[in-house]
Each structure stands twice: as C-alpha cells, then as structure tokens.
Amino acid sequence: MHNAAFAALGLNWRYLAFEARPENLRAAIEGARVMGFMGLNLTVPHKLLALDIVDALDVSAKVWGAVNTIRFEGRSTNGDWLPLRLLEKDPPVEIRSVGFNTDADGLANSLREDLKMELRGKRVLLLGAGGAGRSAALKLATEGVSELFLVNRTLSKALEIQTEIQKNFPSVRAELDYPKSDVDLILNSTSLGLKPDDALPLDEKAFPFRPTHAVYDMIYRPAETALLKAAKAAGGKTANGLGMLLHQGAKAFEIWTGKTAPLDVMRRALEENIYGH
Ligand code: ATR
C-alpha cells in the first residue's frame, strides 16, 4: 500500500520489508538510521521492545505503550529536530529515531469508515484482552464509549484492563462479563478465527447475535471469519480488520511524508495483495 501511495504522489521513495530477530532490533534501527532511512514500521514482536530503543517517544507511543512507526529526524542548523525529508538539501550530522503508534487511531478510523460508527456513548462487547485488546479498550474509552464488556479466556487479563479503565476513565463502565442486553458493537481482538477450525471467540449461548449488533473482527485474513459469517447470517453489519491495517498505514504515511495519504489507492493495493482482486 505504501509503494502504491508513493507512486500515486510521485514520490521517489520505496517501502521494503526486512526480517530482524528481536535481539538484533537495536542494530537494525541503528542501521536504518545511518543509511538515511526516512522511517520504519515495526510489527510483532518488536513493538514493545522498541520503546526502550528509540531516542524519543511521541505521545501516541507513550499512551499506547508500543511503537509501530519510527520517523528519523535530523538536527537542523538552528537546533530544531525535523523530519529528514525537510533536510534533504543540507544533510544533518545528528539523526535521532522517534517512536509513534498509529494502531489505535487505525482502529477508530476503520470503525468510523467501515461500520459508520461514532463511538461516543456506545455499548461495546470486547472479546480478548491481549495486547491488541488492551489498546482497543483504551482507545474506545478515550473515544467516549459508555460501557465496555470485557470477555477473555484468561480472566485476570480482562481484570487488569478493567482496573486500568476504572482508574483513567471513571465515566466509562467496564464490566467483566457478557452484557445482559443489546450492545452497539462486538469487537474481536482475539486470534480465534485465523485458522479454519477455530472456535468462535464468543459463546453464542451466552450472547446470541442480533441484527442490531455491528461486528468488527480485527482479523483480515481470512476475509470472512466464522464470527463475521455468523453475524452476517443474523443480519448484522460487519467489517474485518483490513480497514485497521489501512488506516494505521495511512497515518504512518502521513508521519513520514507530511502529505495526505491517498486512501483509495492504498486500499486497492491492499486488497489486490491480500485477496488477489
Ligand atoms: P495480540 O497482541 O494480537 O493481542 P496476544 O496478546 O497474544 O496477541 O492476545 C491474544 C488474544 O487471543 C488473547 O485475548 C488470548 O486469550 P488469553 O488472554 O486467554 O491468552 C486470545 N486467544 C488466543 N487463543 C485463544 C483460544 N484458543 N481461545 C480463547 N482465546 C484465545
């Protein structure tokens, strides 16, 4: 999606994938810095490790406790730190890495765009309490949902999130069970659904699907998980995690280039590469 976006905007940039072992992450970031990279994306398991490696953290990485985007910045002649793209004529001697996180915004933007959902005042059933679940819960709380129902195989992890929400967002009601009545959104952050024979991430007996429930699955491959299939069969609105992938990428693109991301171009490139159409 990034290469398609660079081409659409006429930028002579390239986005490349590299594999690095976690124990070499520091060296990999250092290598990119000295070779004049504009920035990097990081994925599992590097997102948490990078917190202690980058030279500075943007507020987004501090809030979400993870780094998925790095921008390299150079010290300009008057002492300010600027993105490297603004210093091409006068290459800086000193370069630093700055960590950002675009994942949480990616989720909120995708819910807005793909489910047409404004989160303020909504009741949400969140399935899963791992890294992605925690970020989602906190993002939903910052967006002003009224109630969060947290369901996870390991109760202690859901309890930790509940405690964090109660402490930082006292106006959001966070409960540790299936809701007794309808919700506006069911959000899957577990890995259940990645494999074809996975169980559903929710207990249909405890909480049956209704047409009024919108269902979002962070999984995007397969395009339709068993959860989305069941929700659709019940008449509900559904969306998979492709939009989240798109929007976290679009935000990273803007952090690096300073230009508005061409969303349609990026979405088409993603769909072609992931689904082949
Ligand atoms: P991520 O960073 O993608 O969130 P994670 O932190 O490993 O990855 O979290 C995976 C989530 O999927 C967790 O909520 C996990 O439940 P536990 O906290 O009980 O481990 C959930 N999950 C994974 N496999 C599962 C399974 N077989 N049944 C139920 N939940 C499962």
Side-chain angles (χ1 to χ4, degrees):
M1 67 173 145
H2 287 293
N3 285 324
F6 294 148
L9 269 56
L11 285 170
N12 185 19
W13 294 31
R14 295 290 181 277
Y15 188 94
L16 301 165
F18 300 93
E19 240 173 276
R21 289 175 172 279
E23 61 269 30
N24 292 331
L25 181 62
R26 185 179 293 276
I29 294 172
E30 180 60 12
R33 184 178 74 84
V34 300
M35 285 192 288
F37 280 40
M38 295 291 181
L40 294 168
N41 272 145
L42 304 175
T43 190
V44 177
H46 300 307
K47 294 187 194 187
L48 297 179
L49 297 171
L51 282 173
D52 295 326
I53 295 179
V54 292
D55 301 316
L57 291 172
D58 176 68
V59 62
S60 59
K62 282 186 198 155
V63 169
W64 306 112
V67 172
N68 80 328
T69 301
I70 290 175
R71 180 170 73 193
F72 291 104
E73 297 180 349
R75 178 100 75 176
S76 67
T77 42
N78 68 10
D80 294 340
W81 289 104
L82 296 173
L84 288 186
R85 69 185 144 81
L86 300 177
L87 297 167
E88 273 172 327
K89 285 200 194 75
D90 193 9
V93 178
E94 224 183 318
I95 297 177
R96 69 171 189 177
S97 55
V98 184
F100 295 77
N101 191 302
T102 68
D103 285 331
D105 280 349
L107 171 65
N109 288 343
S110 177
L111 290 171
R112 221 167 266 136
E113 189 179 68
D114 300 323
L115 290 176
K116 309 281 176 271
M117 179 164 292
E118 280 309 325
L119 291 164
R120 185 156 297 281
K122 295 292 191 292
R123 290 160 50 90
V124 182
L125 167 59
L126 176 60
L127 309 169
R134 177 181 168 273
S135 291
L138 295 175
K139 183 64 184 175
L140 293 170
T142 63
E143 294 279 328
V145 298
S146 62
E147 287 179 78
L148 264 178
F149 300 88
L150 306 167
V151 169
N152 193 48
R153 175 179 60 181
T154 311
L155 186 66
S156 59
K157 289 206 241 165
L159 181 63
E160 270 175 41
I161 297 177
Q162 182 195 39
T163 308
E164 205 173 344
I165 300 268
Q166 283 169 343
K167 183 164 157 257
N168 297 314
F169 304 93
S171 62
V172 179
R173 258 184 70 194
E175 301 196 23
L176 290 185
D177 202 355
Y178 287 104
K180 302 277 178 291
S181 54
D182 275 3
V183 290
D184 301 293
L185 173 67
I186 301 172
L187 176 55
N188 178 41
S189 75
T190 77
S191 47
L192 284 176
L194 283 171
K195 289 186 255 106
D197 50 356
D198 276 346
L200 281 184
L202 104 176
D203 178 355
E204 266 190 290
K205 287 200 198 80
F207 197 72
F209 293 106
R210 300 218 174 81
T212 45
H213 299 153
V215 181
Y216 191 94
D217 200 328
M218 288 195 189
I219 294 171
Y220 56 84
R221 196 167 22 205
E224 191 173 68
T225 56
L227 175 77
L228 293 185
K229 202 171 278 178
K232 218 182 246 179
K237 219 178 196 182
T238 61
N240 72 17
L242 195 81
M244 192 177 162
L245 179 65
L246 168 70
H247 285 284
Q248 65 74 33
K251 186 100 193 172
F253 183 93
E254 293 179 351
I255 288 170
W256 297 321
T257 65
K259 295 182 189 300
T260 303
L263 278 176
D264 290 344
V265 169
M266 294 176 85
R267 187 185 292 102
R268 233 177 298 126
L270 270 184
E271 286 171 352
E272 268 173 34
N273 280 277
I274 293 173
Y275 303 131
H277 57 77

